[in-house]
Amino acid sequence: MNNDSEAVFLRKAHAIFMASVGALDDNVRTRLREARRSAVAVTIKPHPRFWLTGPWVLPAGAMAILVVAALGTFIWSDRMSQSVVPFATRHHVDADIVLSKDNLDMYADMDFYRWLQTQKQQHNGVKDQSGANRNG
Amino acid sequence: MRHAASKSPRFNCREFNLETAGRLNAFLAGVEQRAFRIAQMELRNRDDALDAVQDAMLQLAKHYAERPEQEWPPLFYCILQSRIRDCQRRRAVRNRVISFFGGLRNTEEDPPDPIATAADPAGRDPADQVAQRMAIQALEAALQGLPTRQREAFVMRILEGLDVADTARSMGCSEGSVKTHLSRAVHSLRRSLGEHWQ
């Protein structure tokens, strides 16, 4: 029967093919094994977290960066404006002096007056010591 | 119950990946050697055949690992056939360029394999080995003489053993076309191989 002979032919073709598969050398088998492992490793990579993916991540990140930048700018400008405030107004004792129109010149020389005070104290200290030496 | 309820989605995804990897590994281990022989018969070059199989495995793992397992065979062989055709096209273009500039040297086919010509460590009968080698060479030569679609139908249905539906999916054609291509292929091969296998 034609079908029987065809079936025999096809079985023989399959058997010859499988025999050639069995005759593969070790080098080829090793390379195939390595290729398979590399391919399978792709499926084991960690699954990305939902909140790190998605189309909303980029706009949300950009908005966050803008908010931080605006906050930083506000704080920096606030500090800069504080730094030009006269030294005297940082101390409540000198507030009346600064606010008084007549004494603005005195504010400008505040450091001078402090130095003067220091010199006076040192001078008084030296005078006391020399007086004590004369008497003693 | 509490343990199952407390499992995070991240943990479940990891389990799914490992389970998929295991099944994919088992599938590829079962087909890799046959796929290599099919690619080698088509490309007549061992390194090209290895590249084609490696690429097909990688593409399947990257893009289709999460498909149902029964879809893997036709997908894998569809990718493999695509890679084989790409390689054949590149080779044809390269040969045309080479022949245009300075003649063609037939460097694509494998040189004689020293391992294949070495003595068989299993100690099989040399006459059997020669007969087997001649039979496979005859089959390869006869397959090379077939049109591409007939060759693909024969290789997928008869040598690899896919059913008609999977063969149709891997070839990207209807089941009727597969049967037609296969019938013509068998008729041609029997005519050319008949005297070798009687």
Side-chain angles (χ1 to χ4, degrees), chain A residues 127-136:
Chain A
K127 215 199 253 181
D128 288 340
Q129 203 173 4
S130 64
N133 289 340
R134 225 182 286 131
N135 294 334

Side-chain angles (χ1 to χ4, degrees), chain B residues 38 41-42 77-86 88-89 142-164 166-173 177-179 181-183 185-186 189:
Chain B
I38 288 168
M41 282 196 301
E42 297 264 10
Y77 282 107
C78 181
I79 298 168
L80 181 65
Q81 291 292 349
S82 173
R83 291 295 172 272
I84 290 170
R85 279 193 289 274
D86 288 345
Q88 288 169 335
R89 269 188 227 118
L143 284 170
Q144 284 295 316
L146 291 177
T148 304
R149 298 298 266 173
Q150 289 182 20
R151 184 169 60 246
E152 284 179 9
F154 185 84
V155 165
M156 291 295 112
R157 276 288 288 136
I158 306 304
L159 302 187
E160 177 53 28
L162 295 182
D163 61 21
V164 176
D166 282 348
T167 304
R169 260 182 242 122
S170 72
M171 289 176 63
C173 64
S177 297
V178 169
K179 290 175 184 170
H181 289 312
L182 179 63
S183 170
V186 171
L189 288 172

Side-chain angles (χ1 to χ4, degrees), chain A residues 2-3 5-6 9-14 16-25 27-29 31-33 35-40 42-47 49, chain B residues 10 13-14 17-18 21 24-25 28-29 32-34 36-38 41 46-47 50 53-54 57-58 61-62 65 113 132 135-136 139 154 158-159 186 189-190 197:
Chain A
N2 198 21
N3 286 341
S5 62
E6 185 174 299
F9 172 83
L10 296 179
R11 273 200 299 272
K12 187 163 184 176
H14 183 75
I16 289 170
F17 172 72
M18 292 307 293
S20 72
V21 171
L24 288 177
D25 61 73
N27 187 23
V28 168
R29 289 174 202 267
R31 288 182 64 178
L32 287 171
R33 201 164 37 241
R36 174 172 29 104
R37 284 177 185 161
S38 302
V40 169
V42 167
T43 62
I44 306 179
K45 67 181 186 298
H47 200 80
R49 295 171 191 230
Chain B
R10 176 171 161 266
C13 285
R14 176 94 179 149
N17 284 347
L18 288 173
L24 185 65
N25 185 60
L28 292 176
E32 63 190 16
Q33 293 180 16
R34 293 196 304 277
F36 169 76
R37 279 300 289 131
I38 288 168
M41 282 196 301
R46 192 185 80 158
D47 290 330
L50 281 168
V53 173
Q54 181 174 355
M57 288 184 183
L58 201 59
K62 263 175 144 174
D113 187 355
Q132 195 180 78
I136 191 64
L139 177 61
F154 185 84
I158 306 304
L159 302 187
V186 171
L189 288 172
R190 285 186 76 184
W197 291 358

